Amino acid sequence: MTREIAVIAFAQTDHRRSTEESSEVELLMPVLHDVLAQTGLKTADIGFTCSGSSDYLAGRAFSFTLTLDGVGAWPPLSESHVEMDGAWALYEAWTKLLTGDADTALVYSYGKCSPGSVRDVLTRQLDPYYVAPLWPDSIALAALQAQALIDAGHTDEPALAAVGARSRADAEANPHAQLRGRVPQGDYAVRPLRTGDCPPVGDGAAAVILAAGERARRLCARPAWIRGIDHRIEAHGLGVRDLTDSPSARLAAERAGAFERPVDTAELHAPFTAQEVILRRAFRLGDDVRVNPSGGALAANPLMAAGLIRIGEAAARIHRGASDRALAHATSGPCLQQNLVAVLEGDPR
Amino acid sequence: MPEVLRAPLVVEFPFTRSLGPVQSAFLTGLRERVVLGVRTTDGRILVPPVEYDPGTAEEIHDLVEVAPTGTVTTWAWNHAPRRGQPLGSPFAWVLVRLDGADTALLHALDAPGPDAVSTGMRVRIRWAEERTGAITDIACFEPYDGEPQRPDGHTGEFEDPLTGIVAPARLDYTYSPGRAQSAYIDALSERHTVGERCPSCRKVYVPPRGACPTCGVATSERVEVGPRGTVTTFCIVNIKARNLDIEVPYVYAHIALDGADLALHARIGGIPYDQVRMGLRVEPVWAEGARFPDHYRPTGEPDAPYETYKELL
Ligand SMILES: [Zn+2]
């Protein structure tokens, strides 16, 4: 790798159950202005723009075009979009910067979950021949994974409840989080998962700016250098996989260099409590690693933005000197189907 | 702020999908009450079967019949079934490894309650009475404590194999247009057309979307535009749209309303289609009780000079 690339700014909305008073671009624009203001850059200074979102959340085709007004897309700019979480848009922007075609990149993503029913909407990402016709919802599939984990002896219901409680307690310090403080563990949503084991449904957006080399040093006092990123996917058949493990997450972490030296912080995109248990094992995180100090996806899970927010939160901790080396993880699909890992570092102090 | 506008939005589509040879055999088999798996090169039997080995990506097509009985590998109790799910009363989601298979199939288990379900329990397929060649030909699984049933060694050859399936999908949304567009729609219902001015470049956008695409800043100053405007460009539509009551040919045009810096589009009426031209001056025509103009018609004024609208093309 010849170019050093860093996350130099991060902004996010307050995540809320509904933002029906705002269109997509109205939701996003304050966040775009925030990251630009942090760096002093204007949209015209940005070399590459990449976004992540999903038409299935919006219920309309090419919904991402609605937000292009917010980045000042006239005169024409170099732009791309992934129909995925913004973490994957960041991956595309990172490769663009690696090629040397651009020195700066704006990455943003947003998800308005409120117009539809997320549990139903997410069934449309499943195998259309064998699985989607049964309409198994996202909580049901996560519950199958949680039960497999309990049967394997890796966790139990009280341990899962503790994951949820810790996440929401940590979220007290996060003004953007949707669920904060003491949240009842609640009734079963789909047994063995209770509502407290599940993420809130909400709307939100996030943006980061990447910059290469000296440009990053000039624009940010302590850049969060991306030492490696990798993403991997499991076989799509749920019954083919060992649901108690996440070999794709482990391999992505290995390829991103996560195991070369210990990390002090891990922002894990684990929308369900049991998934944090799986990821901690996959990433071999010890008790000394601060996991999801932001509260994680159990405190705010705006789909398509929640993964990018993990990278942004990890980077922001490096920016302010709370972390020197952090692992950021994003997932997509049922039961940790796809996993992306980024390793971020600050300059030695 | 005025009340947020909302409307139901239903997205519904019958996806027509082709089947490869392995998927065709599996789904045709379900129609005939036969469950088929596929053998990988290392000898494992995958059920449901796929065309490529998930481990090696090799093409696989060696079909093997497996039993309609099996073992639950994991489960989750669903006390509140949702639309489209296999059973209408509380049931367990299960992954079932059928006898003879090495992988598990996702489906529903009909059981009286969560206490009657456990990992490792024995189950068998309950077939749907009417079967069409779909995963739903398995109505669900049911508890079973007999011996593993033996498959008959079906070859996977069928007289009338399926070549495709139709998978209907429906999602329900509540659409809200946001602040800028709500203001536009609210004004329209009182027969006013409002745009928004960019605080930076001063352009007036209509319909407003809340942001200036040139400056990337929020537009907020409301500006009344029209009601008259100028046709900047147009096309003649010759294909009748479904569920639309308009005779073809008709003209669809870009119209720059007076005071606006962006053209909106609408149908032109009140003039033969072959007499519509660039520069034609038009005004909206409102149907009784309508919330938006039905179409635009000529005002009778002289045509606008090209210079007055060339920037709006
Ligand atoms: Zn402007």
Side-chain angles (χ1 to χ4, degrees):
Chain A
M1 198 179 307
T2 52
R3 287 193 114 195
E4 283 194 308
I5 293 155
V7 177
I8 60 165
F10 166 57
Q12 62 184 314
T13 55
D14 291 345
H15 308 295
R16 294 188 285 131
R17 178 61 187 90
S18 169
T19 55
E20 62 178 4
E21 72 286 357
S22 303
S23 66
E24 280 83 352
V25 68
E26 289 165 346
L27 174 71
L28 194 66
M29 224 168 356
V31 167
L32 297 174
H33 294 167
D34 187 348
V35 276
L36 289 165
Q38 287 177 37
T39 57
L41 294 170
K42 297 186 175 58
T43 49
D45 303 325
I46 297 290
F48 181 60
T49 297
C50 197
S51 61
S53 66
S54 171
D55 283 352
Y56 277 83
L57 291 178
R60 58 196 296 190
F62 296 100
S63 59
F64 76 95
T65 61
L66 300 174
T67 63
L68 287 177
D69 290 345
V71 295
W74 180 262
L77 49 82
S78 175
E79 185 270 343
S80 183
H81 174 261
V82 298
E83 189 74 11
M84 297 187 80
D85 189 290
W88 277 264
L90 184 141
Y91 182 87
E92 183 176 336
W94 177 71
T95 56
K96 183 84 170 178
L97 264 56
L98 278 183
T99 65
D101 280 353
D103 289 333
T104 55
L106 170 65
V107 180
Y108 67 87
S109 64
Y110 64 94
K112 277 170 73 90
C113 299
S114 58
S117 163
V118 166
R119 289 176 72 174
D120 296 330
V121 167
L122 289 179
T123 63
R124 301 301 94 192
Q125 70 184 334
L126 304 169
D127 173 332
Y129 301 94
Y130 301 156
V131 182
L134 305 174
W135 293 82
D137 60 278
S138 46
I139 298 179
L141 296 176
L144 287 168
Q145 186 170 36
Q147 185 64 45
L149 204 65
I150 291 169
D151 287 335
H154 295 315
T155 192
D156 54 27
E157 290 190 35
L160 296 181
V163 170
R166 191 210 74 237
S167 298
R168 279 122 190 183
D170 282 345
E172 293 253 42
N174 177 358
H176 303 288
Q178 187 179 337
L179 282 188
R180 282 188 291 238
R182 292 180 65 85
V183 172
Q185 188 59 4
D187 297 329
Y188 285 119
V190 178
R191 182 172 166 171
L193 294 181
R194 297 176 180 272
T195 52
D197 293 306
C198 304
V201 174
D203 299 354
V208 306
I209 292 178
L210 303 182
E214 280 311 305
R215 199 77 193 278
R217 288 203 166 81
R218 281 201 302 277
L219 293 169
C220 178
R222 191 170 196 251
W225 301 107
I226 300 172
R227 296 303 185 206
I229 308 186
D230 198 81
H231 59 101
R232 301 281 157 166
I233 181 171
E234 311 276 344
H236 74 93
L238 284 172
V240 174
R241 297 169 48 189
D242 173 1
L243 292 178
T244 66
D245 194 8
S246 184
S248 62
R250 184 182 295 110
L251 184 57
E254 185 190 321
R255 298 299 173 97
F259 301 135
E260 289 166 15
R261 284 192 294 122
V263 297
D264 55 49
T265 301
E267 278 284 345
L268 307 180
H269 186 195
F272 297 93
T273 50
Q275 295 178 346
E276 183 182 302
V277 177
I278 292 167
L279 290 170
R280 276 178 182 268
R281 292 177 66 236
F283 296 143
R284 302 172 204 154
L285 299 177
D287 290 339
D288 53 335
V289 177
R290 190 79 170 86
V291 172
N292 289 349
S294 63
L298 286 162
N301 192 39
L303 295 181
M304 304 301 136
L308 181 64
I309 290 170
R310 304 282 71 76
I311 300 176
E313 290 280 7
R317 269 174 84 78
I318 288 171
H319 294 160
R320 60 179 185 261
S323 167
D324 292 321
R325 181 171 156 92
L327 179 154
H329 160 264
T331 194
S332 185
C335 302
L336 301 173
Q337 177 85 32
Q338 299 161 53
N339 295 286
L340 178 148
V341 173
V343 176
L344 305 172
E345 276 184 357
D347 284 324
R349 287 177 289 183
Chain B
M1 174 174 295
E3 202 186 332
V4 176
L5 296 176
R6 287 186 199 90
L9 171 68
V10 178
V11 178
E12 197 165 16
F13 201 78
F15 287 93
T16 304
R17 298 186 176 275
S18 307
L19 299 173
V22 171
Q23 289 173 320
S24 169
F26 177 69
L27 293 178
T28 307
L30 296 185
R31 189 186 69 195
E32 310 300 330
R33 300 193 192 210
V34 170
V35 187
L36 294 163
V38 66
R39 194 192 311 269
T40 64
T41 38
D42 65 0
R44 297 196 315 144
I45 309 292
L46 307 182
V47 179
V50 291
E51 263 124 16
Y52 294 90
D53 187 318
T56 64
E58 277 176 291
E59 189 174 351
I60 46 178
H61 39 68
D62 185 8
L63 298 165
V64 184
E65 188 181 355
V66 299
T69 54
T71 303
V72 169
T73 63
T74 185
W75 63 283
W77 185 255
N78 184 24
H79 64 83
R82 304 169 70 80
R83 186 175 73 200
Q85 296 182 344
L87 295 169
S89 51
F91 67 89
W93 288 106
V94 281
L95 280 168
V96 175
R97 190 169 59 234
L98 293 172
D99 296 325
D102 292 293
T103 62
L105 172 88
L106 178 77
H107 221 294
L109 170 67
D110 188 5
D115 295 340
V117 186
S118 60
T119 297
M121 76 182 282
R122 298 284 299 161
V123 295
R124 75 171 164 199
I125 289 174
R126 180 190 297 165
W127 295 101
E129 293 207 356
E130 285 181 28
R131 295 180 308 283
T132 60
I135 192 66
T136 47
D137 289 352
I138 298 175
C140 62
F141 282 85
E142 58 192 20
Y144 172 73
D145 51 17
E147 289 295 304
Q149 287 183 10
R150 294 208 168 272
D152 298 327
H154 200 285
T155 60
E157 298 278 332
F158 294 96
E159 275 194 10
D160 177 23
L162 293 165
T163 57
I165 59 168
V166 177
R170 173 186 168 136
L171 293 171
D172 287 67
Y173 298 89
T174 301
Y175 180 68
S176 296
R179 178 199 58 79
Q181 294 180 89
S182 290
Y184 173 77
I185 293 167
D186 274 338
L188 267 190
S189 67
E190 290 161 19
R191 301 197 175 188
H192 293 283
T193 304
V194 298
E196 286 186 349
R197 193 189 305 278
C198 172
S200 175
C201 68
R202 309 298 294 160
K203 276 193 172 161
V204 173
Y205 291 95
V206 56
R209 288 181 297 193
C212 172
T214 308
C215 307
V217 299
T219 56
S220 51
E221 182 193 341
R222 281 179 61 178
V223 180
E224 176 132 2
V225 296
R228 292 185 168 188
T230 301
V231 172
T232 62
T233 185
F234 63 93
C235 65
I236 299 166
V237 179
N238 285 290
I239 298 168
K240 205 169 162 61
R242 244 171 94 185
N243 308 327
L244 206 60
D245 237 3
I246 302 168
E247 285 307 314
V248 292
Y250 66 87
V251 171
Y252 211 68
H254 273 196
I255 298 163
L257 293 180
D258 296 345
D261 291 296
L262 195 73
L264 49 69
H265 41 91
R267 185 168 64 88
I268 304 295
I271 180 172
Y273 72 91
D274 55 358
Q275 291 178 28
V276 174
R277 55 201 181 265
M278 292 170 72
L280 181 70
R281 294 284 294 159
V282 294
E283 63 188 4
V285 177
W286 299 81
E288 193 63 43
R291 292 188 58 133
F292 50 88
D294 179 69
H295 63 276
Y296 283 72
R297 70 176 170 215
T299 62
E301 295 168 274
D303 285 3
Y306 181 65
E307 285 67 36
T308 61
Y309 62 85
K310 68 176 182 186
E311 297 296 328
L312 302 174
L313 278 174

